[in-house]
Amino acid sequence: MLTAPLTIWAIPGIPEIVTGDDLAEVIGQREIDLRDGDILAVTSKIVSKAEGRFVQADDRDQAITDETVRVVATRGMTRIVENRLGIVGAAAGVDGSNTPVGTVLLLPLDPDASAAALRAALEARFNVRLGVIITDTLGRAWREGQTDVAIGSSGVRVLDDLRGTLDAQGRRLDVTVPAVGDEIAAAADLVKGKSEGLPVAVVRGVGHLLDPEAPGARVLTRTGPNDMFRLGSDEAYAEGFAAGKASHGQGV
Amino acid sequence: MLTAPLTIWAIPGIPEIVTGDDLAEVIGQREIDLRDGDILAVTSKIVSKAEGRFVQADDRDQAITDETVRVVATRGMTRIVENRLGIVGAAAGVDGSNTPVGTVLLLPLDPDASAAALRAALEARFNVRLGVIITDTLGRAWREGQTDVAIGSSGVRVLDDLRGTLDAQGRRLDVTVPAVGDEIAAAADLVKGKSEGLPVAVVRGVGHLLDPEAPGARVLTRTGPNDMFRLGSDEAYAEGFAAGKASHGQGV
């Protein structure tokens, strides 16, 4: 059985990104050899910086509120919210590390569109078929620590729907839909790191996931009726308590 | 700046595992070249099979109940529960795919201990320092699809605590603790796949995460007071409603 290796490496020497930088130009100027089927995993931070998504740090709380669609849970200083991209996480993605002093950084306005633009420019420059994934770091319910996930993508199937395929005994694998976009983001984080100035990784060996028509990473977000955790337990309990108390004497 | 590549490949030719198989022997007999710093990512399914963790399929609901410490949320046929390993997920890890017809498979009894035993045997056989991660597939709150995570580990730091290190501007990265054990599991899933009989991957290039004294993957689970999602929103609301209703007339 042939098993193609997966190889992932960070592109060295990417300079500090400032507002107005052309990321395809910055990445393209590095010594890289991009091939058909490669996927670039790009930290959302440099996309935001290139797009000038800075706000003054003294407005950080206001920035979080502005980016928030819905508060899910609050505990102490921690605000778990759904942001305007449909992503549930702490602080709505407003980022205060590795930004110029006095500023914080918002997420890209439309990470799927940013990924599509970067892909188009790099494909033209290198004359290859690529995928682009824009990553961010998210905490998780029930698990310690954070992992990188895909918040934007272009040209890559981020959900690899195996429903309908058969297992080795001929039974259907009917509930398995690997979130390969998130798995690629997580894999890339292992070489990009957080503080070393390595915001772009090349992922080679999963070219079978390339699909120019694939929907963006927005499909990875689950909100609305399928979300069993739309509120933190304390918040939902408190809502229920108030409603239960009010219901008394109303024949409920 | 030097950037070591990360390379991940599945070990081909691992036969169907049956109760009593010695996994170190089975893996060791394949043509593999293990080096100092390599990490093996092993699907929990083959660990469970080797350990004989089969139960009759007609007892599947009972098996899920037996493995459940606490029900978190229920919707239709879906039961999200905390299992005896502290992992919150669907069906308590009871697995009905790729098992002999008429049986389902429980998770390993103690995945950290299984990882430690496998590591010791492979380190002795190959005379190298290794890490071992035992993986399982988990759904997530707020995100579609599943990713592989580390449910057992030995010899690897699964949480890479960066708190206290400085960002490029000299500010502390004080909330970032990458769950690298889960990121390695996710990366390995990209080459192992679900239905192709490739249950073991070698991960080369993150040897800096090796630590013979590192705690097992149990540290990745978050339950108890730090869990803001101990109950589904509907379940917490219902509990609150009942308590609110009962509180009326009691001066609460």
Side-chain angles (χ1 to χ4, degrees), chain A residues 90-146:
Chain A
V94 176
D95 186 352
S97 65
N98 278 309
T99 54
V101 172
T103 67
V104 295
L105 195 60
L106 310 183
L107 290 176
L109 206 54
D110 182 347
D112 285 332
S114 304
L118 183 56
R119 175 167 76 98
L122 288 170
E123 284 187 336
R125 184 181 186 114
F126 289 92
N127 194 30
V128 288
R129 265 182 78 227
L130 300 173
V132 170
I133 286 178
I134 296 178
T135 68
D136 196 23
T137 303
L138 268 190
R140 299 90 51 84
W142 314 306
R143 295 189 75 73
E144 296 291 343
Q146 300 90 36

Coordinates of all heavy atoms in Angstrom, one line a residue, chain A residues 90-146:
Chain A
A90 N -13.1 33.0 22.6 CA -12.9 34.1 23.6 C -12.5 35.4 22.9 O -11.8 35.4 21.9 CB -11.7 33.6 24.5
A91 N -13.1 36.5 23.4 CA -12.6 37.8 23.0 C -12.9 38.1 21.5 O -12.3 39.0 20.9 CB -11.2 38.0 23.3
A92 N -13.8 37.3 20.9 CA -14.3 37.6 19.5 C -13.1 37.7 18.5 O -13.2 38.3 17.5 CB -15.1 38.9 19.4
G93 N -12.0 37.0 18.9 CA -10.8 37.1 18.0 C -10.0 38.4 18.0 O -9.1 38.5 17.3
V94 N -10.4 39.3 18.9 CA -9.6 40.5 19.1 C -8.3 40.2 19.8 O -8.2 39.6 20.9 CB -10.4 41.6 19.9 CG1 -9.5 42.8 20.1 CG2 -11.7 41.9 19.1
D95 N -7.2 40.6 19.1 CA -5.9 40.0 19.5 C -4.9 41.1 19.9 O -4.8 42.1 19.2 CB -5.3 39.4 18.2 CG -4.0 38.6 18.4 OD1 -3.4 38.7 19.5 OD2 -3.6 38.0 17.5
G96 N -4.3 40.9 21.1 CA -3.5 42.0 21.6 C -2.0 41.6 21.7 O -1.2 42.3 22.3
S97 N -1.6 40.5 21.1 CA -0.2 40.1 21.2 C 0.4 40.2 19.8 O -0.2 40.1 18.8 CB 0.0 38.6 21.7 OG -0.6 37.7 20.8
N98 N 1.7 40.5 19.8 CA 2.4 40.7 18.5 C 1.8 41.7 17.6 O 1.8 41.6 16.4 CB 2.5 39.3 17.8 CG 3.7 38.5 18.3 OD1 4.8 39.0 18.4 ND2 3.4 37.3 18.6
T99 N 1.2 42.8 18.3 CA 0.7 43.9 17.5 C 1.5 45.2 18.0 O 2.1 45.1 19.1 CB -0.8 44.2 17.8 OG1 -1.0 44.3 19.2 CG2 -1.6 43.0 17.3
P100 N 1.6 46.2 17.2 CA 2.3 47.4 17.6 C 1.7 47.9 19.0 O 0.5 47.8 19.2 CB 2.0 48.4 16.5 CG 1.7 47.6 15.3 CD 1.0 46.4 15.8
V101 N 2.6 48.3 19.8 CA 2.2 48.8 21.2 C 1.1 49.8 21.0 O 1.2 50.7 20.2 CB 3.4 49.3 21.9 CG1 3.0 50.0 23.3 CG2 4.4 48.2 22.2
G102 N 0.1 49.7 21.8 CA -1.0 50.6 21.8 C -2.2 50.2 20.8 O -3.1 51.0 20.7
T103 N -2.0 49.1 20.2 CA -3.0 48.7 19.3 C -3.4 47.2 19.5 O -2.7 46.4 20.1 CB -2.6 48.7 17.8 OG1 -1.6 47.7 17.6 CG2 -2.0 50.1 17.4
V104 N -4.7 46.9 19.1 CA -5.1 45.5 19.0 C -5.5 45.3 17.6 O -5.7 46.2 16.8 CB -6.2 45.1 20.1 CG1 -5.6 45.2 21.5 CG2 -7.4 46.0 19.8
L105 N -5.8 44.0 17.3 CA -6.0 43.6 15.9 C -7.3 42.9 15.8 O -7.6 41.9 16.6 CB -4.8 42.7 15.5 CG -4.6 42.5 14.0 CD1 -4.4 43.8 13.2 CD2 -3.4 41.6 13.8
L106 N -8.2 43.2 14.9 CA -9.4 42.5 14.6 C -9.1 41.4 13.6 O -8.1 41.5 12.9 CB -10.5 43.4 14.1 CG -10.8 44.7 14.8 CD1 -11.9 45.4 14.2 CD2 -11.1 44.4 16.3
L107 N -10.0 40.4 13.5 CA -9.9 39.4 12.5 C -10.1 40.0 11.1 O -10.7 41.1 11.0 CB -10.9 38.3 12.7 CG -10.6 37.4 13.9 CD1 -11.7 36.4 14.1 CD2 -9.3 36.6 13.8
P108 N -9.6 39.3 10.1 CA -9.9 39.8 8.7 C -11.4 40.0 8.5 O -12.2 39.3 9.1 CB -9.4 38.7 7.8 CG -8.3 38.0 8.6 CD -8.8 38.1 10.0
L109 N -11.8 41.0 7.7 CA -13.2 41.3 7.5 C -13.9 40.1 6.9 O -15.0 39.7 7.3 CB -13.3 42.5 6.5 CG -14.6 43.3 6.6 CD1 -14.8 43.8 8.0 CD2 -14.4 44.5 5.6
D110 N -13.3 39.4 5.9 CA -13.9 38.3 5.2 C -12.8 37.3 4.9 O -12.2 37.3 3.8 CB -14.6 38.7 4.0 CG -15.3 37.6 3.2 OD1 -15.1 36.4 3.5 OD2 -16.1 37.9 2.3
P111 N -12.5 36.4 5.9 CA -11.3 35.5 5.7 C -11.4 34.6 4.4 O -10.4 34.3 3.8 CB -11.2 34.7 7.0 CG -12.0 35.5 7.9 CD -13.1 36.2 7.2
D112 N -12.6 34.2 4.1 CA -12.7 33.3 2.9 C -12.4 34.1 1.6 O -11.7 33.6 0.7 CB -14.1 32.8 2.8 CG -14.4 31.6 3.7 OD1 -13.4 30.9 4.1 OD2 -15.6 31.4 4.1
A113 N -12.8 35.4 1.6 CA -12.4 36.3 0.5 C -10.9 36.6 0.4 O -10.3 36.6 -0.6 CB -13.2 37.5 0.5
S114 N -10.4 36.8 1.6 CA -8.9 37.0 1.7 C -8.1 35.8 1.2 O -7.1 35.9 0.5 CB -8.5 37.3 3.1 OG -9.2 38.4 3.7
A115 N -8.6 34.6 1.6 CA -8.0 33.4 1.1 C -8.1 33.2 -0.4 O -7.1 32.8 -1.1 CB -8.6 32.1 1.8
A116 N -9.2 33.6 -0.9 CA -9.5 33.4 -2.4 C -8.5 34.4 -3.2 O -8.0 34.0 -4.2 CB -10.9 33.7 -2.7
A117 N -8.4 35.6 -2.7 CA -7.6 36.6 -3.3 C -6.1 36.2 -3.3 O -5.4 36.2 -4.3 CB -7.7 38.0 -2.7
L118 N -5.7 35.7 -2.2 CA -4.3 35.2 -2.0 C -4.0 34.0 -2.9 O -3.0 33.9 -3.6 CB -4.0 34.9 -0.5 CG -2.6 34.5 -0.2 CD1 -1.5 35.6 -0.6 CD2 -2.4 34.3 1.3
R119 N -5.0 33.1 -2.9 CA -4.8 31.9 -3.8 C -4.7 32.3 -5.3 O -3.8 31.8 -6.0 CB -6.0 30.9 -3.6 CG -5.9 29.8 -4.6 CD -6.9 28.6 -4.2 NE -8.2 28.9 -4.6 CZ -8.9 28.5 -5.7 NH1 -8.2 27.7 -6.5 NH2 -10.1 28.7 -5.9
A120 N -5.6 33.2 -5.7 CA -5.5 33.6 -7.1 C -4.2 34.2 -7.5 O -3.6 33.9 -8.5 CB -6.7 34.6 -7.4
A121 N -3.7 35.1 -6.6 CA -2.5 35.8 -6.9 C -1.3 34.8 -6.9 O -0.4 34.9 -7.8 CB -2.2 36.9 -5.9
L122 N -1.3 33.9 -6.0 CA -0.1 32.9 -5.9 C -0.2 31.9 -7.0 O 0.8 31.5 -7.6 CB -0.1 32.2 -4.5 CG 0.4 33.1 -3.4 CD1 0.1 32.4 -2.0 CD2 1.8 33.5 -3.5
E123 N -1.4 31.5 -7.4 CA -1.5 30.5 -8.5 C -1.0 31.1 -9.8 O -0.4 30.5 -10.6 CB -3.0 30.1 -8.6 CG -3.4 29.1 -7.6 CD -4.8 28.5 -7.8 OE1 -5.6 29.2 -8.5 OE2 -5.1 27.4 -7.3
A124 N -1.4 32.4 -10.0 CA -0.9 33.1 -11.2 C 0.6 33.3 -11.2 O 1.3 33.0 -12.2 CB -1.6 34.5 -11.3
R125 N 1.1 33.6 -10.0 CA 2.5 33.9 -9.9 C 3.4 32.6 -10.1 O 4.4 32.6 -10.8 CB 2.9 34.5 -8.5 CG 4.3 34.9 -8.4 CD 4.6 35.5 -7.0 NE 5.9 36.0 -6.9 CZ 6.2 37.3 -6.7 NH1 5.3 38.2 -6.6 NH2 7.5 37.6 -6.6
F126 N 2.9 31.5 -9.5 CA 3.7 30.3 -9.6 C 3.2 29.3 -10.6 O 3.8 28.2 -10.8 CB 3.7 29.6 -8.2 CG 4.6 30.3 -7.2 CD1 4.0 31.3 -6.3 CD2 5.9 30.1 -7.1 CE1 4.7 32.0 -5.4 CE2 6.7 30.8 -6.1 CZ 6.1 31.7 -5.3
N127 N 2.1 29.6 -11.3 CA 1.5 28.7 -12.3 C 1.3 27.3 -11.8 O 1.7 26.3 -12.4 CB 2.4 28.7 -13.5 CG 1.7 28.1 -14.7 OD1 0.4 28.2 -14.8 ND2 2.4 27.5 -15.6
V128 N 0.6 27.2 -10.6 CA 0.3 26.0 -10.0 C -1.1 26.1 -9.4 O -1.6 27.1 -9.2 CB 1.3 25.6 -8.8 CG1 2.6 25.2 -9.4 CG2 1.4 26.7 -7.8
R129 N -1.7 24.9 -9.1 CA -3.0 24.8 -8.4 C -2.7 24.7 -6.9 O -2.0 23.8 -6.4 CB -3.8 23.6 -8.8 CG -4.8 23.8 -9.9 CD -5.5 22.5 -10.2 NE -6.5 22.2 -9.3 CZ -6.7 21.0 -8.7 NH1 -5.8 20.0 -8.9 NH2 -7.6 20.8 -7.8
L130 N -3.3 25.6 -6.1 CA -3.0 25.7 -4.7 C -4.3 25.7 -3.9 O -5.3 26.0 -4.4 CB -2.2 27.0 -4.3 CG -0.9 27.2 -5.0 CD1 -0.3 28.6 -4.7 CD2 0.1 26.1 -4.5
G131 N -4.1 25.4 -2.6 CA -5.2 25.8 -1.6 C -4.6 26.8 -0.6 O -3.4 26.8 -0.4
V132 N -5.5 27.6 -0.1 CA -5.0 28.5 1.0 C -6.0 28.4 2.2 O -7.2 28.3 2.0 CB -5.1 30.0 0.5 CG1 -4.9 31.0 1.6 CG2 -4.0 30.2 -0.6
I133 N -5.4 28.3 3.4 CA -6.2 28.2 4.6 C -5.7 29.3 5.5 O -4.5 29.5 5.7 CB -6.0 26.8 5.3 CG1 -6.9 25.8 4.5 CG2 -6.4 26.9 6.7 CD1 -6.8 24.4 5.1
I134 N -6.6 30.1 6.0 CA -6.3 31.2 7.0 C -6.6 30.7 8.4 O -7.7 30.2 8.6 CB -7.0 32.5 6.6 CG1 -6.5 33.0 5.3 CG2 -6.8 33.5 7.7 CD1 -7.1 34.2 4.8
T135 N -5.6 30.7 9.3 CA -5.8 30.1 10.6 C -6.0 31.1 11.7 O -5.5 32.2 11.7 CB -4.5 29.2 10.9 OG1 -3.4 30.1 11.1 CG2 -4.2 28.3 9.7
D136 N -6.6 30.6 12.8 CA -6.6 31.3 14.0 C -6.6 30.3 15.2 O -6.8 29.1 14.9 CB -7.9 32.2 14.1 CG -7.7 33.3 15.2 OD1 -6.6 33.6 15.6 OD2 -8.8 33.8 15.7
T137 N -6.3 30.8 16.3 CA -6.1 30.0 17.5 C -7.4 30.0 18.3 O -7.8 31.1 18.7 CB -4.9 30.4 18.3 OG1 -3.8 30.4 17.5 CG2 -4.6 29.5 19.5
L138 N -8.0 28.9 18.6 CA -9.2 28.8 19.4 C -9.1 27.9 20.6 O -8.5 26.8 20.5 CB -10.3 28.3 18.5 CG -11.2 29.2 17.6 CD1 -12.4 28.4 17.1 CD2 -11.8 30.3 18.5
G139 N -9.8 28.2 21.7 CA -10.0 27.3 22.8 C -11.1 26.4 22.4 O -11.8 26.6 21.4
R140 N -11.3 25.4 23.2 CA -12.4 24.4 23.0 C -13.2 24.1 24.2 O -12.6 24.2 25.3 CB -11.7 23.0 22.5 CG -10.9 23.0 21.3 CD -9.4 23.3 21.5 NE -8.7 22.6 22.5 CZ -8.2 21.4 22.3 NH1 -8.3 20.8 21.1 NH2 -7.6 20.7 23.2
A141 N -14.4 23.8 24.1 CA -15.2 23.2 25.3 C -14.6 21.9 25.7 O -14.1 21.1 24.8 CB -16.6 23.1 24.9
W142 N -14.5 21.6 26.9 CA -14.1 20.3 27.5 C -12.7 19.9 27.3 O -12.3 18.8 27.7 CB -15.0 19.2 27.0 CG -16.5 19.6 27.0 CD1 -17.2 20.1 28.0 CD2 -17.4 19.6 25.9 NE1 -18.5 20.4 27.6 CE2 -18.6 20.1 26.3 CE3 -17.2 19.3 24.5 CZ2 -19.7 20.2 25.5 CZ3 -18.3 19.4 23.7 CH2 -19.5 19.9 24.1
R143 N -11.9 20.7 26.7 CA -10.5 20.4 26.5 C -9.6 21.6 26.8 O -9.9 22.7 26.5 CB -10.2 19.9 25.1 CG -10.9 18.6 24.8 CD -10.5 17.9 23.5 NE -9.2 17.2 23.5 CZ -9.0 16.1 24.1 NH1 -9.9 15.5 24.8 NH2 -7.8 15.5 24.0
E144 N -8.5 21.3 27.5 CA -7.5 22.3 27.9 C -6.7 22.7 26.6 O -6.5 22.0 25.7 CB -6.6 21.8 28.9 CG -7.3 21.4 30.3 CD -7.8 22.7 31.0 OE1 -7.4 23.8 30.7 OE2 -8.6 22.5 31.9
G145 N -6.2 24.0 26.7 CA -5.3 24.4 25.6 C -6.1 24.9 24.4 O -7.3 24.8 24.3
Q146 N -5.3 25.3 23.5 CA -5.9 25.8 22.2 C -5.3 25.1 21.0 O -4.2 24.5 21.1 CB -5.6 27.3 22.0 CG -6.2 28.2 23.1 CD -5.2 28.4 24.2 OE1 -4.0 28.5 24.0 NE2 -5.6 28.5 25.4

